[in-house]
Amino acid sequence: MHRLLVTGGAGFVGANFVRHVLERTDAHVIVLDKLTYAASPEALTDLPQGRVELVIGDVTDAALVDTLVGRLTGPDDGLVHFAAESHNDTSLRDPGLFVQTNVVGTFVLLEAARRHDVRLHHVSTDEVYGELSLEDPARFTEHTAYRPSSPYSATKAGADHLVRAWVRSFGVRATLSNCSNTYGPWQHVEKFVPRQVTTLLEGGRAKVYGTGEHVRDWIHAQDHASAVLAVLERGRIGETYLVGADGQASNLEVVRALLELLGRSADDVDHVADRAGHDLRYALDANKLRTELGWEPAHQDLRAGLAATIDWYREHRGWWAPKKGAVEAAYAERGQ
Ligand code: NAD
Ligand code: DAU
């Protein structure tokens, strides 16, 4: 049995990753998570006893991180770094928090990985490449220049640069993945898909920023998780792998699919205040991951994935309902 330290393992993608790892490997998983508002420790409670350990703490706490990384002494042990402040809208109001967690936190982990010579996988986002136009069919590749737009994506870009520098300058054994918009179980109700699903389940109207023409490249959380495991197990040190499932759709198209799946009128949409600096389109080419590591997404049909996600939120009302009121009150204050 080997050990994996997973930062942010109580968050949306991190928890889906922990669940995937426990199903697919015999690893013992140590989750380091600060349990911010975005965390769902509930996502870890039904897992096999003795195989998951939750340590509540901050990735910027160098002493704690050093102790935990120091436990990774086996040849196949590793560190997977999900922990981040992840919401673009929040980064517009409190950018300092994003610099601390996303940049300083990654620095602290890199220094510990360097001291203890532990392999590290850094989880990042396609947003570091900035926006694409709606007309141009181009997609991001691993060679696209960095051009982040928001405080969130700028701090993720900064973290990516640190990881690359630590590989080159100090020989840290690290890999990176930059994934597109992820949806599925355990995503916080502040994010686009769960916000619409839960609002519609409560009988409300969908809330689309601006025109709704903005395009995202959707991938299911289980596929994001399987891609991260593939890179951790088979990726080449120092390499970046883009992760996506050819799921481009405009926000209005996603909302219309949700309305139809829920038997609602296509007109049940409010166009609300737009996000400052809102990126128009993200789309990526995951060919390197597919051809080099043989990875394939299990969820290839976005509409089917959305239908399953609606079912999941219907069955987990007790988890999301207590969070919903405060999130909607904050959006209402901003005209969103
Ligand atoms: P999330 O906000 O749902 O979860 C983040 C987790 O990190 C939470 O459990 C939170 O408690 C924890 N955390 C935050 N600050 C911390 C700190 N200082 N110390 C320790 N733990 C801390 O985020 P997510 O959507 O699961 O994203 C996880 C990672 O995946 C992030 O690095 C994000 O940039 C990346 N990513 C997400 C998506 C997406 O669409 N969700 C797509 C591409 C990449
Ligand atoms: O591309 C990967 C990124 O995807 C991740 O790095 C981020 O962590 C993750 O939050 C996500 O970023 P986005 O900003 O694209 O996701 P969000 O869910 O906030 O919004 C998706 C799109 O929907 C975006 O165009 C804004 C829009 N939107 C969002 C909300 C919450 C709406 O139209 N209405 C809404 O209510």
Side-chain angles (χ1 to χ4, degrees), residues 85-89 124-128 152-153 156 179-182 187 189-196 206-210 212 214-218 251-252 255 272-275 278-280 282 284 328 331 336:
E85 286 294 335
S86 67
H87 195 32
N88 272 298
D89 291 334
S124 191
T125 171
D126 62 353
E127 294 194 18
V128 297
Y152 162 69
S153 52
K156 292 298 293 185
C179 186
S180 60
N181 279 69
T182 310
Q187 187 168 29
V189 290
E190 70 184 358
K191 300 285 168 46
F192 179 63
V193 168
R195 183 181 185 206
Q196 311 308 333
K207 303 279 186 262
V208 170
Y209 292 176
H214 306 81
V215 171
R216 297 295 183 262
D217 194 345
W218 294 98
N251 295 340
L252 265 184
V255 158
V272 297
D274 208 347
R275 170 184 288 170
H278 195 175
D279 282 340
L280 258 183
Y282 306 137
L284 61 81
E328 288 305 322
Y331 276 126
Q336 293 181 317

Short mmCIF file of all heavy atoms in Angstrom, two decimals, residues 85-89 124-128 152-153 156 179-182 187 189-196 206-210 212 214-218 251-252 255 272-275 278-280 282 284 328 331 336, ligand 2:
data_model
loop_
_atom_site.label_atom_id
_atom_site.label_comp_id
_atom_site.label_asym_id
_atom_site.label_seq_id
_atom_site.Cartn_x
_atom_site.Cartn_y
_atom_site.Cartn_z
N GLU A 85 -8.51 28.52 -3.57
CA GLU A 85 -9.74 29.31 -3.67
C GLU A 85 -10.09 29.24 -5.15
O GLU A 85 -9.26 29.55 -6.01
CB GLU A 85 -9.49 30.76 -3.22
CG GLU A 85 -9.34 30.91 -1.72
CD GLU A 85 -10.62 30.59 -0.95
OE1 GLU A 85 -11.71 30.70 -1.54
OE2 GLU A 85 -10.52 30.22 0.23
N SER A 86 -11.33 28.84 -5.46
CA SER A 86 -11.62 28.43 -6.83
C SER A 86 -12.68 29.26 -7.56
O SER A 86 -12.95 28.99 -8.73
CB SER A 86 -12.09 26.97 -6.81
OG SER A 86 -13.35 26.87 -6.15
N HIS A 87 -13.28 30.25 -6.89
CA HIS A 87 -14.41 30.94 -7.54
C HIS A 87 -14.02 32.31 -8.07
O HIS A 87 -13.66 33.21 -7.31
CB HIS A 87 -15.58 31.06 -6.55
CG HIS A 87 -16.87 31.41 -7.22
ND1 HIS A 87 -17.20 31.01 -8.50
CD2 HIS A 87 -17.93 32.15 -6.80
CE1 HIS A 87 -18.39 31.47 -8.83
NE2 HIS A 87 -18.85 32.16 -7.82
N ASN A 88 -14.14 32.47 -9.39
CA ASN A 88 -13.78 33.74 -10.04
C ASN A 88 -14.48 34.94 -9.43
O ASN A 88 -13.86 35.99 -9.23
CB ASN A 88 -14.13 33.66 -11.53
CG ASN A 88 -12.99 33.07 -12.33
OD1 ASN A 88 -11.91 33.63 -12.38
ND2 ASN A 88 -13.22 31.93 -12.94
N ASP A 89 -15.77 34.81 -9.15
CA ASP A 89 -16.52 35.96 -8.62
C ASP A 89 -15.94 36.41 -7.28
O ASP A 89 -15.82 37.60 -7.01
CB ASP A 89 -18.01 35.60 -8.46
CG ASP A 89 -18.71 35.41 -9.80
OD1 ASP A 89 -18.26 36.01 -10.79
OD2 ASP A 89 -19.69 34.65 -9.86
N SER A 124 -4.34 22.28 -12.05
CA SER A 124 -4.61 23.66 -12.46
C SER A 124 -5.76 23.72 -13.47
O SER A 124 -6.49 22.75 -13.65
CB SER A 124 -3.33 24.30 -12.99
OG SER A 124 -3.53 25.69 -13.16
N THR A 125 -5.88 24.87 -14.09
CA THR A 125 -7.09 25.19 -14.85
C THR A 125 -6.78 25.69 -16.25
O THR A 125 -5.71 26.29 -16.48
CB THR A 125 -7.88 26.27 -14.08
OG1 THR A 125 -8.94 26.74 -14.91
CG2 THR A 125 -7.02 27.47 -13.72
N ASP A 126 -7.71 25.50 -17.17
CA ASP A 126 -7.55 26.03 -18.53
C ASP A 126 -7.62 27.55 -18.55
O ASP A 126 -7.22 28.18 -19.53
CB ASP A 126 -8.59 25.42 -19.49
CG ASP A 126 -10.04 25.72 -19.12
OD1 ASP A 126 -10.30 26.31 -18.05
OD2 ASP A 126 -10.93 25.36 -19.92
N GLU A 127 -8.12 28.15 -17.46
CA GLU A 127 -8.28 29.61 -17.45
C GLU A 127 -6.96 30.36 -17.49
O GLU A 127 -6.95 31.56 -17.74
CB GLU A 127 -9.04 30.04 -16.19
CG GLU A 127 -10.45 29.55 -16.17
CD GLU A 127 -11.29 30.24 -15.12
OE1 GLU A 127 -10.90 31.31 -14.62
OE2 GLU A 127 -12.36 29.71 -14.80
N VAL A 128 -5.85 29.67 -17.21
CA VAL A 128 -4.54 30.36 -17.26
C VAL A 128 -4.25 30.86 -18.67
O VAL A 128 -3.46 31.78 -18.85
CB VAL A 128 -3.38 29.45 -16.79
CG1 VAL A 128 -3.56 29.05 -15.34
CG2 VAL A 128 -3.23 28.23 -17.69
N TYR A 152 -8.34 35.13 -9.85
CA TYR A 152 -8.27 33.68 -9.67
C TYR A 152 -7.31 33.05 -10.68
O TYR A 152 -6.37 32.35 -10.33
CB TYR A 152 -9.67 33.04 -9.80
CG TYR A 152 -9.61 31.54 -10.05
CD1 TYR A 152 -9.18 30.67 -9.06
CD2 TYR A 152 -9.97 31.01 -11.30
CE1 TYR A 152 -9.09 29.30 -9.30
CE2 TYR A 152 -9.90 29.65 -11.54
CZ TYR A 152 -9.46 28.80 -10.54
OH TYR A 152 -9.36 27.44 -10.77
N SER A 153 -7.55 33.33 -11.99
CA SER A 153 -6.73 32.65 -12.99
C SER A 153 -5.29 33.14 -12.95
O SER A 153 -4.36 32.37 -13.23
CB SER A 153 -7.34 32.77 -14.39
OG SER A 153 -7.62 34.10 -14.73
N LYS A 156 -3.61 31.14 -10.25
CA LYS A 156 -3.36 29.76 -10.70
C LYS A 156 -2.18 29.75 -11.69
O LYS A 156 -1.34 28.86 -11.66
CB LYS A 156 -4.61 29.17 -11.36
CG LYS A 156 -5.77 28.91 -10.42
CD LYS A 156 -5.49 27.90 -9.32
CE LYS A 156 -5.29 26.49 -9.83
NZ LYS A 156 -5.14 25.51 -8.73
N CYS A 179 -7.26 21.64 -16.43
CA CYS A 179 -8.55 21.05 -16.82
C CYS A 179 -9.58 22.15 -17.10
O CYS A 179 -9.48 23.27 -16.64
CB CYS A 179 -9.04 20.13 -15.71
SG CYS A 179 -10.54 19.23 -16.14
N SER A 180 -10.59 21.76 -17.85
CA SER A 180 -11.68 22.67 -18.19
C SER A 180 -12.78 22.62 -17.12
O SER A 180 -12.65 21.92 -16.11
CB SER A 180 -12.23 22.31 -19.57
OG SER A 180 -12.70 20.97 -19.54
N ASN A 181 -13.89 23.34 -17.38
CA ASN A 181 -14.99 23.45 -16.41
C ASN A 181 -15.55 22.08 -16.04
O ASN A 181 -16.02 21.34 -16.91
CB ASN A 181 -16.12 24.29 -16.99
CG ASN A 181 -15.85 25.76 -16.86
OD1 ASN A 181 -14.94 26.28 -17.51
ND2 ASN A 181 -16.60 26.43 -16.01
N THR A 182 -15.55 21.81 -14.75
CA THR A 182 -15.92 20.50 -14.25
C THR A 182 -17.29 20.58 -13.58
O THR A 182 -17.61 21.58 -12.93
CB THR A 182 -14.83 20.04 -13.25
OG1 THR A 182 -13.56 20.20 -13.89
CG2 THR A 182 -15.01 18.60 -12.83
N GLN A 187 -20.40 19.56 -6.09
CA GLN A 187 -19.94 20.90 -6.44
C GLN A 187 -20.76 21.93 -5.67
O GLN A 187 -22.00 21.85 -5.61
CB GLN A 187 -20.07 21.15 -7.95
CG GLN A 187 -19.43 22.48 -8.37
CD GLN A 187 -19.27 22.63 -9.86
OE1 GLN A 187 -20.05 22.08 -10.64
NE2 GLN A 187 -18.27 23.39 -10.30
N VAL A 189 -22.90 25.04 -4.40
CA VAL A 189 -24.03 25.69 -5.09
C VAL A 189 -23.74 27.10 -5.60
O VAL A 189 -24.57 27.69 -6.28
CB VAL A 189 -25.30 25.75 -4.19
CG1 VAL A 189 -25.89 24.37 -4.00
CG2 VAL A 189 -25.02 26.42 -2.86
N GLU A 190 -22.55 27.63 -5.31
CA GLU A 190 -22.19 28.94 -5.88
C GLU A 190 -21.85 28.82 -7.37
O GLU A 190 -21.91 29.82 -8.09
CB GLU A 190 -20.99 29.53 -5.14
CG GLU A 190 -19.70 28.78 -5.43
CD GLU A 190 -18.50 29.28 -4.65
OE1 GLU A 190 -18.61 30.25 -3.89
OE2 GLU A 190 -17.43 28.65 -4.78
N LYS A 191 -21.45 27.63 -7.83
CA LYS A 191 -20.96 27.46 -9.20
C LYS A 191 -22.13 27.30 -10.18
O LYS A 191 -23.24 26.94 -9.80
CB LYS A 191 -19.99 26.27 -9.28
CG LYS A 191 -18.77 26.41 -8.37
CD LYS A 191 -17.76 27.40 -8.91
CE LYS A 191 -16.67 27.79 -7.94
NZ LYS A 191 -16.02 26.76 -7.19
N PHE A 192 -21.86 27.52 -11.47
CA PHE A 192 -22.89 27.65 -12.49
C PHE A 192 -23.89 26.48 -12.53
O PHE A 192 -25.10 26.68 -12.34
CB PHE A 192 -22.22 27.83 -13.85
CG PHE A 192 -23.18 27.96 -14.99
CD1 PHE A 192 -24.06 29.03 -15.06
CD2 PHE A 192 -23.21 27.02 -16.00
CE1 PHE A 192 -24.94 29.17 -16.12
CE2 PHE A 192 -24.09 27.15 -17.07
CZ PHE A 192 -24.96 28.22 -17.13
N VAL A 193 -23.41 25.26 -12.78
CA VAL A 193 -24.36 24.15 -12.95
C VAL A 193 -25.16 23.89 -11.67
O VAL A 193 -26.40 23.88 -11.71
CB VAL A 193 -23.65 22.88 -13.48
CG1 VAL A 193 -24.57 21.66 -13.38
CG2 VAL A 193 -23.19 23.08 -14.92
N PRO A 194 -24.51 23.71 -10.51
CA PRO A 194 -25.32 23.45 -9.31
C PRO A 194 -26.21 24.62 -8.92
O PRO A 194 -27.30 24.41 -8.38
CB PRO A 194 -24.30 23.16 -8.21
CG PRO A 194 -22.98 23.51 -8.76
CD PRO A 194 -23.07 23.55 -10.24
N ARG A 195 -25.76 25.86 -9.23
CA ARG A 195 -26.64 27.00 -8.90
C ARG A 195 -27.93 26.90 -9.70
O ARG A 195 -29.03 27.07 -9.16
CB ARG A 195 -25.94 28.34 -9.19
CG ARG A 195 -26.85 29.49 -8.79
CD ARG A 195 -26.26 30.85 -9.05
NE ARG A 195 -27.17 31.87 -8.52
CZ ARG A 195 -27.26 33.11 -8.97
NH1 ARG A 195 -26.48 33.52 -9.94
NH2 ARG A 195 -28.12 33.96 -8.44
N GLN A 196 -27.80 26.62 -11.01
CA GLN A 196 -29.01 26.55 -11.85
C GLN A 196 -29.87 25.35 -11.43
O GLN A 196 -31.08 25.47 -11.27
CB GLN A 196 -28.64 26.43 -13.33
CG GLN A 196 -27.61 27.43 -13.82
CD GLN A 196 -27.96 28.88 -13.49
OE1 GLN A 196 -29.13 29.24 -13.33
NE2 GLN A 196 -26.93 29.72 -13.35
N ALA A 206 -33.64 30.29 -13.85
CA ALA A 206 -32.19 30.23 -14.08
C ALA A 206 -31.63 31.64 -14.12
O ALA A 206 -32.33 32.59 -14.51
CB ALA A 206 -31.92 29.50 -15.38
N LYS A 207 -30.36 31.77 -13.72
CA LYS A 207 -29.71 33.09 -13.67
C LYS A 207 -28.46 33.07 -14.54
O LYS A 207 -27.45 32.44 -14.19
CB LYS A 207 -29.29 33.41 -12.22
CG LYS A 207 -30.45 33.38 -11.22
CD LYS A 207 -31.24 34.68 -11.26
CE LYS A 207 -32.31 34.73 -10.19
NZ LYS A 207 -33.64 34.37 -10.68
N VAL A 208 -28.54 33.76 -15.67
CA VAL A 208 -27.43 33.75 -16.62
C VAL A 208 -26.78 35.13 -16.66
O VAL A 208 -27.47 36.13 -16.80
CB VAL A 208 -27.95 33.34 -18.02
CG1 VAL A 208 -26.89 33.56 -19.08
CG2 VAL A 208 -28.38 31.88 -18.00
N TYR A 209 -25.44 35.14 -16.56
CA TYR A 209 -24.70 36.41 -16.59
C TYR A 209 -24.73 36.98 -18.01
O TYR A 209 -24.33 36.30 -18.97
CB TYR A 209 -23.24 36.21 -16.21
CG TYR A 209 -22.95 35.82 -14.77
CD1 TYR A 209 -21.64 35.55 -14.38
CD2 TYR A 209 -23.95 35.73 -13.81
CE1 TYR A 209 -21.34 35.19 -13.07
CE2 TYR A 209 -23.66 35.38 -12.51
CZ TYR A 209 -22.35 35.11 -12.14
OH TYR A 209 -22.05 34.75 -10.85
N GLY A 210 -25.16 38.23 -18.13
CA GLY A 210 -25.11 38.92 -19.42
C GLY A 210 -25.92 38.18 -20.47
O GLY A 210 -27.02 37.68 -20.22
N GLY A 212 -25.21 35.32 -21.97
CA GLY A 212 -25.21 33.86 -21.89
C GLY A 212 -24.54 33.19 -23.07
O GLY A 212 -24.58 31.98 -23.21
N HIS A 214 -21.39 33.05 -23.52
CA HIS A 214 -20.07 32.58 -23.08
C HIS A 214 -20.01 31.06 -23.14
O HIS A 214 -20.95 30.37 -22.71
CB HIS A 214 -19.80 33.06 -21.65
CG HIS A 214 -19.95 34.55 -21.52
ND1 HIS A 214 -21.18 35.15 -21.36
CD2 HIS A 214 -19.04 35.54 -21.57
CE1 HIS A 214 -21.02 36.46 -21.31
NE2 HIS A 214 -19.73 36.72 -21.43
N VAL A 215 -18.89 30.55 -23.66
CA VAL A 215 -18.75 29.11 -23.87
C VAL A 215 -17.75 28.52 -22.88
O VAL A 215 -16.67 29.09 -22.65
CB VAL A 215 -18.28 28.84 -25.33
CG1 VAL A 215 -17.90 27.37 -25.52
CG2 VAL A 215 -19.38 29.25 -26.30
N ARG A 216 -18.12 27.39 -22.30
CA ARG A 216 -17.21 26.63 -21.44
C ARG A 216 -17.11 25.21 -22.00
O ARG A 216 -18.00 24.77 -22.73
CB ARG A 216 -17.74 26.60 -19.98
CG ARG A 216 -17.82 27.99 -19.32
CD ARG A 216 -16.43 28.58 -19.15
NE ARG A 216 -16.37 29.88 -18.45
CZ ARG A 216 -16.29 31.05 -19.08
NH1 ARG A 216 -16.31 31.11 -20.39
NH2 ARG A 216 -16.19 32.17 -18.38
N ASP A 217 -16.05 24.48 -21.64
CA ASP A 217 -15.77 23.16 -22.20
C ASP A 217 -15.98 22.14 -21.07
O ASP A 217 -15.07 21.89 -20.28
CB ASP A 217 -14.32 23.16 -22.72
CG ASP A 217 -14.02 21.99 -23.63
OD1 ASP A 217 -14.81 21.03 -23.66
OD2 ASP A 217 -12.98 22.03 -24.31
N TRP A 218 -17.18 21.58 -20.97
CA TRP A 218 -17.59 20.85 -19.77
C TRP A 218 -17.03 19.43 -19.71
O TRP A 218 -17.00 18.72 -20.71
CB TRP A 218 -19.12 20.82 -19.66
CG TRP A 218 -19.66 22.20 -19.44
CD1 TRP A 218 -20.17 23.05 -20.38
CD2 TRP A 218 -19.66 22.94 -18.21
NE1 TRP A 218 -20.50 24.26 -19.81
CE2 TRP A 218 -20.21 24.22 -18.49
CE3 TRP A 218 -19.26 22.64 -16.90
CZ2 TRP A 218 -20.37 25.19 -17.51
CZ3 TRP A 218 -19.43 23.61 -15.92
CH2 TRP A 218 -19.97 24.87 -16.22
N ASN A 251 -23.38 29.02 -22.11
CA ASN A 251 -24.13 28.98 -20.85
C ASN A 251 -25.62 28.85 -21.11
O ASN A 251 -26.34 28.13 -20.40
CB ASN A 251 -23.82 30.22 -20.02
CG ASN A 251 -22.37 30.26 -19.58
OD1 ASN A 251 -21.70 29.22 -19.57
ND2 ASN A 251 -21.87 31.43 -19.22
N LEU A 252 -26.10 29.55 -22.17
CA LEU A 252 -27.52 29.45 -22.49
C LEU A 252 -27.89 28.03 -22.94
O LEU A 252 -28.97 27.52 -22.60
CB LEU A 252 -27.90 30.45 -23.58
CG LEU A 252 -28.45 31.80 -23.12
CD1 LEU A 252 -28.85 32.64 -24.32
CD2 LEU A 252 -29.63 31.64 -22.17
N VAL A 255 -28.18 25.91 -19.84
CA VAL A 255 -29.41 26.25 -19.10
C VAL A 255 -30.64 25.68 -19.82
O VAL A 255 -31.54 25.13 -19.18
CB VAL A 255 -29.51 27.78 -18.91
CG1 VAL A 255 -30.93 28.23 -18.66
CG2 VAL A 255 -28.62 28.21 -17.75
N VAL A 272 -28.88 38.31 -15.80
CA VAL A 272 -28.51 39.14 -14.65
C VAL A 272 -27.19 39.86 -14.93
O VAL A 272 -26.56 39.64 -15.98
CB VAL A 272 -28.42 38.28 -13.36
CG1 VAL A 272 -29.78 37.67 -13.03
CG2 VAL A 272 -27.36 37.18 -13.51
N ALA A 273 -26.76 40.70 -13.97
CA ALA A 273 -25.53 41.49 -14.16
C ALA A 273 -24.36 40.60 -14.54
O ALA A 273 -24.17 39.52 -13.97
CB ALA A 273 -25.22 42.25 -12.87
N ASP A 274 -23.57 41.06 -15.50
CA ASP A 274 -22.45 40.25 -15.99
C ASP A 274 -21.28 40.31 -15.00
O ASP A 274 -21.21 41.20 -14.15
CB ASP A 274 -22.01 40.78 -17.36
CG ASP A 274 -21.38 39.69 -18.22
OD1 ASP A 274 -21.06 38.61 -17.68
OD2 ASP A 274 -21.20 39.92 -19.43
N ARG A 275 -20.37 39.35 -15.13
CA ARG A 275 -19.14 39.32 -14.32
C ARG A 275 -18.13 40.30 -14.93
O ARG A 275 -17.99 40.34 -16.16
CB ARG A 275 -18.60 37.88 -14.37
CG ARG A 275 -17.22 37.68 -13.81
CD ARG A 275 -16.75 36.23 -13.99
NE ARG A 275 -17.43 35.31 -13.12
CZ ARG A 275 -17.34 33.98 -13.23
NH1 ARG A 275 -16.60 33.44 -14.17
NH2 ARG A 275 -17.98 33.19 -12.40
N HIS A 278 -15.38 39.13 -17.75
CA HIS A 278 -15.88 37.79 -18.04
C HIS A 278 -15.25 37.18 -19.31
O HIS A 278 -15.47 37.69 -20.42
CB HIS A 278 -17.41 37.90 -18.22
CG HIS A 278 -18.15 36.62 -18.17
ND1 HIS A 278 -19.52 36.56 -18.20
CD2 HIS A 278 -17.73 35.34 -18.10
CE1 HIS A 278 -19.91 35.31 -18.14
NE2 HIS A 278 -18.84 34.55 -18.09
N ASP A 279 -14.52 36.08 -19.19
CA ASP A 279 -13.91 35.43 -20.35
C ASP A 279 -14.99 34.85 -21.26
O ASP A 279 -15.91 34.16 -20.80
CB ASP A 279 -12.98 34.28 -19.90
CG ASP A 279 -11.64 34.78 -19.39
OD1 ASP A 279 -11.26 35.92 -19.73
OD2 ASP A 279 -10.97 34.03 -18.66
N LEU A 280 -14.84 35.09 -22.58
CA LEU A 280 -15.87 34.67 -23.53
C LEU A 280 -15.93 33.17 -23.76
O LEU A 280 -16.98 32.55 -23.75
CB LEU A 280 -15.60 35.34 -24.89
CG LEU A 280 -16.42 36.55 -25.27
CD1 LEU A 280 -16.06 37.00 -26.66
CD2 LEU A 280 -17.93 36.25 -25.18
N TYR A 282 -13.72 29.23 -23.35
CA TYR A 282 -12.60 28.32 -23.09
C TYR A 282 -12.88 27.05 -23.89
O TYR A 282 -14.02 26.59 -23.98
CB TYR A 282 -12.52 27.88 -21.62
CG TYR A 282 -12.48 28.99 -20.59
CD1 TYR A 282 -13.24 28.90 -19.42
CD2 TYR A 282 -11.65 30.08 -20.74
CE1 TYR A 282 -13.18 29.88 -18.45
CE2 TYR A 282 -11.59 31.07 -19.78
CZ TYR A 282 -12.36 30.97 -18.63
OH TYR A 282 -12.31 31.94 -17.67
N LEU A 284 -10.40 23.33 -25.05
CA LEU A 284 -9.04 22.79 -25.06
C LEU A 284 -8.95 21.47 -25.81
O LEU A 284 -9.93 20.74 -25.98
CB LEU A 284 -8.49 22.69 -23.64
CG LEU A 284 -9.19 21.81 -22.62
CD1 LEU A 284 -8.79 20.36 -22.79
CD2 LEU A 284 -8.83 22.30 -21.23
N GLU A 328 -27.41 32.69 -2.40
CA GLU A 328 -28.33 33.48 -3.21
C GLU A 328 -28.44 34.91 -2.70
O GLU A 328 -28.58 35.86 -3.49
CB GLU A 328 -29.71 32.82 -3.27
CG GLU A 328 -29.72 31.56 -4.13
CD GLU A 328 -29.22 31.79 -5.57
OE1 GLU A 328 -29.50 32.84 -6.16
OE2 GLU A 328 -28.50 30.89 -6.07
N TYR A 331 -25.49 36.75 -4.11
CA TYR A 331 -25.68 37.02 -5.54
C TYR A 331 -26.70 38.16 -5.73
O TYR A 331 -26.50 39.05 -6.57
CB TYR A 331 -26.17 35.77 -6.28
CG TYR A 331 -25.05 34.84 -6.70
CD1 TYR A 331 -25.06 33.49 -6.34
CD2 TYR A 331 -23.99 35.30 -7.48
CE1 TYR A 331 -24.04 32.63 -6.74
CE2 TYR A 331 -22.97 34.46 -7.88
CZ TYR A 331 -22.99 33.12 -7.51
OH TYR A 331 -21.99 32.30 -7.90
N GLN A 336 -27.01 39.70 -9.25
CA GLN A 336 -26.80 38.48 -10.05
C GLN A 336 -27.72 37.35 -9.60
O GLN A 336 -27.49 36.20 -9.86
CB GLN A 336 -25.33 38.03 -9.93
CG GLN A 336 -24.37 39.02 -10.60
CD GLN A 336 -22.92 38.61 -10.52
OE1 GLN A 336 -22.47 38.15 -9.47
NE2 GLN A 336 -22.19 38.76 -11.60
O1 DAU B 2 -12.38 26.52 -16.59
C1 DAU B 2 -12.09 25.94 -15.36
C2 DAU B 2 -12.66 26.79 -14.25
O2 DAU B 2 -14.07 26.59 -14.28
C3 DAU B 2 -12.09 26.45 -12.88
O3 DAU B 2 -10.73 26.75 -12.87
C4 DAU B 2 -12.82 27.26 -11.79
O4 DAU B 2 -12.36 26.86 -10.52
C5 DAU B 2 -14.30 26.98 -11.90
O5 DAU B 2 -15.03 27.75 -10.95
C6 DAU B 2 -14.79 27.30 -13.30
O6 DAU B 2 -14.68 28.73 -13.57
P1 DAU B 2 -15.87 29.56 -14.27
O7 DAU B 2 -15.75 30.95 -13.84
O8 DAU B 2 -15.94 29.25 -15.72
O9 DAU B 2 -17.12 28.79 -13.54
P2 DAU B 2 -18.50 29.33 -12.93
O10 DAU B 2 -19.24 28.10 -12.51
O11 DAU B 2 -18.31 30.39 -11.94
O12 DAU B 2 -19.21 29.95 -14.22
C7 DAU B 2 -19.37 29.21 -15.43
C8 DAU B 2 -19.95 30.16 -16.48
O13 DAU B 2 -21.29 30.49 -16.11
C9 DAU B 2 -19.23 31.51 -16.59
O14 DAU B 2 -19.31 31.92 -17.94
C10 DAU B 2 -20.04 32.43 -15.69
C11 DAU B 2 -21.44 31.91 -15.88
N1 DAU B 2 -22.40 32.02 -14.75
C12 DAU B 2 -22.00 31.64 -13.51
C13 DAU B 2 -22.89 31.66 -12.46
C14 DAU B 2 -22.47 31.25 -11.07
C15 DAU B 2 -23.71 32.41 -15.02
O15 DAU B 2 -24.07 32.73 -16.15
N2 DAU B 2 -24.60 32.42 -13.99
C16 DAU B 2 -24.25 32.06 -12.72
O16 DAU B 2 -25.12 32.08 -11.83
#
